[in-house]
Amino acid sequence: MSLISATGVHHIRLTVTDIDGSRAFYENVLGFKVAAESAGRPDDLPVRSDPAQLYGGVVFETNGMLFGLRPVADRSDRFDSTRVGLDHLSFSVPTIDDLYAIADRLTSAGIEHGEITDLESFGIVILSFTDPDGIHLELAAPRRASTPPEDG
């Protein structure tokens, strides 16, 4: 028996350099819905240090999970997956067809992404890309029969 009886992940919050650019990416490109947002701006020090004001950030709801952005990083800072902390963040999507649709959406938005990759031994197919701060993101779909869209 574990010491903590966790029932799942409640929320994840990423530290970002630019709330406007990051919000636009997660809201407009990935289609996440805003659940709560700060009325203040992160350049206002009392807002930037107040969890009740979300540190000047925003929280999205995506299929029952809360996902937040905290805009307190220096603008020149960039994510490094080789340092202690986060390596990458993976969101589940229902089907492989969703991965192809999202890859097309990322391409249309000018966002570089990896190939859709079948990880047969894990039972998933993934699509990798990065957010505006260089944070490694991944979308994972269950490995089931699916037909890639035809070129043309």
Side-chain angles (χ1 to χ4, degrees), residues 11-149:
H11 71 273
I12 295 170
R13 181 169 42 215
L14 299 179
T15 300
V16 299
T17 60
D18 172 15
I19 189 60
D20 297 323
S22 292
R23 178 184 175 148
F25 175 81
Y26 287 98
E27 186 174 16
N28 300 331
V29 177
L30 298 186
F32 289 1
K33 302 296 181 211
V34 173
E37 61 187 305
S38 177
R41 294 292 301 168
D43 49 335
D44 181 359
L45 193 55
V47 170
R48 186 181 175 111
S49 60
D50 185 357
Q53 295 187 64
L54 303 173
Y55 306 102
V58 62
V59 175
F60 299 97
E61 188 279 324
T62 176
N63 290 330
M65 187 183 84
L66 296 176
F67 173 73
L69 303 176
R70 182 179 182 193
V72 297
D74 184 271
R75 288 229 182 223
S76 65
D77 201 7
R78 285 296 172 259
F79 176 75
D80 183 348
S81 67
T82 64
R83 295 188 56 207
V84 172
L86 181 72
D87 175 74
H88 72 280
L89 179 58
S90 182
F91 294 98
S92 295
V93 296
T95 69
I96 295 170
D97 291 335
D98 292 315
L99 295 178
Y100 284 99
I102 294 163
D104 288 344
R105 187 172 182 164
L106 292 171
T107 299
S108 295
I111 297 166
E112 290 185 33
H113 56 83
E115 296 294 320
I116 293 173
T117 304
D118 187 347
L119 299 179
E120 184 176 356
S121 62
F122 293 102
I124 59 173
V125 177
I126 63 167
L127 171 65
S128 299
F129 53 101
T130 60
D131 83 348
D133 285 305
I135 297 171
H136 298 287
L137 301 175
E138 174 184 278
L139 301 176
R143 190 178 185 276
R144 296 189 191 118
S146 179
T147 306

